[in-house]
Amino acid sequence: MFTLETHVLLSLIIPLLGAIGIALTSSVPNIRETVTLVTSVLLCLNVFSLLPGIMNGAEPAVLLAEIVPDIGLALKVEPLGMTFAAVASSLWIINSIYSIGYMRGNNEPRQTGFYICFAIAIAATMGVAFSGNLLTLFVFYEVLTLSTYPLVTHKKNADALKGGRIYLGILIGTSIGLFLPAIIWTWTLAGTVNFVKGGILEGHASAGVTGVLLFLFMYGIGKAALMPIHRWLPAAMVAPTPVSALLHAVAVVKAGVFAVLKVVIYIFGIDFLTTTGAAEWLTWVAAYTLIAASVVALTKDNLKARLAYSTISQLAYVVLGASMATSMAVAGGALQIVMHAFGKITLFFCAGAIYTAVHKTEISDMRGLGRQMPVTFIAFLIGSLSIIGLPPLGGSWSKFYLMLGAAEADEIYLMIVLLVSSLLNIAYLLPIVARGFFYPPLGQSDEPVPVGYEKSDFSWRNIQEAPLFCVLPPVLTALACVVLFFLADPIVRLIEPILTP
């Protein structure tokens, strides 16, 4: 029987071995994709084998390499990282199924390279989740950026290459220019870069220094997509939809907001930030990003572009929870990582299914498609309602805890911001579903179908869903949005140790 430390190492080794297996079987697509699926299942089983130990208070640690005395590449599993790893490994299975349907359904080129880079990106995600110090987090954060660049530029056309340059330029620029100096400065102040419960900066940094250092971290972690360094995210939408799902739900942006929470909890400390008031500016930036990105989403007719700006807004919920620095707000931020992952991946899966079935990308062209693709649009509706925060869907819990956090911090204006944001979510998501189900198809009428409209204009067209492997994944993730509503308590109990002094 493997020890917990062995399972931690296997979380990196399994996807890397999978990448090698994919390369070796590149000439036989069926075997290559079987290797992808088997690897994703093995990784998920391995990650979940850690869960009982973590629930019982264990924190297995592994030193990969010592760079200088007392500083090295080190892995350590704690509740927040366990939560992130569980989400990423679970969704990799579903995303792998979807990738097979999408890549084959659209006859995408360079499929072997796609699956290899995907596996390496998941290995990097596991490294981010289980990082034991800032150096390890930084290294795997960079590997994740570099391994996803070929996925963003997969199509190799002018738009893909331009989007890739923006993606790589912003993420590498912010991490080298801001994140790395913040790590070095932290080490000079505290004498360590280890993640320690309660933080390591108290007694080593003044309120002013803490505020500047927080700025370097928050904008150095560019994957969190705080405005104005959010442009890489819409630019990356030139990638195939499975990559968009990876960026928005499985790995990249979640690695960003996870890193934000980890730095706030284990480097600054919730109590220290509250005492110094150093995070007050971040609260305003997060609130602005939350609202502004939603307003921009309203203006986008391209479905993936609208979902991209939705993601920017939804990520700001996590940053807002971190900046309020209360136990309820941080719990809401952690829950948002989980709930948003399943809700948003559902929406991107549906966008890809629509493209695969009818090659439509603009929302204005999707009139009547709900009657043509009812399963896809129902899944989209469920994912949307979870993003909005409507019970009984998982997304309602993260919004509820964030509201409690705002009340706990006595920030009434933030409660108003959260309410306005939910209304904006309704405004940019539900009309897509309404257009699909309640508008007649293009060419029949330019007006919505009112109550009592002629049935001949509201008749259902022939069902034309995407291939099974493109439809089954959004159905599964939509069902997960419902199931997660009833699993909020176990998730909160898992992360509870990080919320208490």
Side-chain angles (χ1 to χ4, degrees), residues 287 290-292 294-295 298 313 317 403 413-428:
L290 199 154
I291 297 297
S294 294
V295 172
L298 282 168
S313 174
Y317 281 98
M403 290 288 281
Y413 77 94
L414 289 180
M415 300 177 73
I416 297 172
V417 167
L418 291 169
L419 289 171
V420 170
S421 173
S422 290
L423 292 175
L424 289 171
N425 294 341
I426 293 171
Y428 66 69

Side-chain angles (χ1 to χ4, degrees), residues 265 285 462:
I265 294 167
V285 171
N462 293 330

Side-chain angles (χ1 to χ4, degrees), residues 73-139:
L73 296 180
L75 303 177
K76 184 178 180 180
V77 185
E78 43 73 47
L80 186 62
M82 182 70 239
T83 303
F84 178 39
V87 171
S89 61
S90 299
L91 288 177
W92 190 28
I93 299 175
I94 302 175
N95 205 5
S96 295
I97 296 170
Y98 183 82
S99 296
I100 294 168
Y102 184 93
M103 300 300 281
R104 289 191 174 192
N106 291 285
N107 297 314
E108 292 282 350
R110 297 176 290 279
Q111 293 187 24
T112 297
F114 172 91
Y115 291 115
I116 290 173
C117 289
F118 218 109
I120 295 172
I122 293 297
T125 302
M126 294 298 107
V128 168
F130 294 154
S131 55
N133 57 44
L134 284 171
L135 176 62
T136 309
L137 176 63
F138 178 81
V139 169

Side-chain angles (χ1 to χ4, degrees), residues 293-475:
S294 294
V295 172
V296 175
L298 282 168
T299 69
K300 298 297 180 182
D301 189 42
N302 181 276
L303 180 54
K304 285 177 67 176
R306 182 172 293 194
L307 296 180
Y309 277 96
S310 168
T311 296
I312 295 168
S313 174
Q314 295 294 315
L315 294 177
Y317 281 98
V318 182
V319 180
L320 187 64
S323 69
M324 284 190 280
T326 68
S327 58
M328 288 296 99
V330 171
L335 281 171
Q336 176 71 354
I337 291 178
V338 179
M339 305 307 180
H340 176 259
F342 283 89
K344 185 52 62 72
I345 203 170
T346 301
L347 302 189
F348 272 102
F349 281 165
C350 292
I354 292 169
Y355 177 78
T356 302
V358 295
H359 295 286
K360 294 186 184 296
T361 58
E362 306 303 303
I363 296 168
S364 57
D365 293 335
M366 296 180 184
R367 302 167 63 99
L369 277 185
R371 285 166 271 164
Q372 187 175 337
M373 306 178 68
V375 176
T376 298
F377 272 76
I378 290 171
F380 191 97
L381 173 61
I382 294 171
S384 297
L385 294 177
S386 185
I387 295 292
I388 291 165
L390 187 71
L393 296 161
S396 61
W397 284 115
S398 54
K399 307 296 172 66
F400 175 71
Y401 273 87
L402 286 168
M403 290 288 281
L404 287 179
E408 187 179 1
D410 199 24
E411 301 285 7
I412 303 303
Y413 77 94
L414 289 180
M415 300 177 73
I416 297 172
V417 167
L418 291 169
L419 289 171
V420 170
S421 173
S422 290
L423 292 175
L424 289 171
N425 294 341
I426 293 171
Y428 66 69
L429 287 175
L430 293 192
I432 300 170
V433 181
R435 184 178 294 271
F437 281 118
F438 303 119
Y439 282 49
L442 287 171
Q444 289 192 19
S445 171
D446 290 332
E447 298 297 328
V449 178
V451 175
Y453 204 77
E454 292 295 328
K455 290 184 178 180
S456 60
D457 286 333
F458 193 67
S459 60
W460 290 76
R461 302 175 68 184
N462 293 330
I463 302 298
Q464 189 182 342
E465 293 283 0
L468 177 63
F469 274 20
C470 283
V471 175
L472 180 60
V475 170

Side-chain angles (χ1 to χ4, degrees), residues 273-291:
L273 280 182
T274 302
T275 302
T276 60
E280 185 174 348
W281 68 269
L282 183 59
T283 301
W284 287 98
V285 171
Y288 172 78
T289 301
L290 199 154
I291 297 297

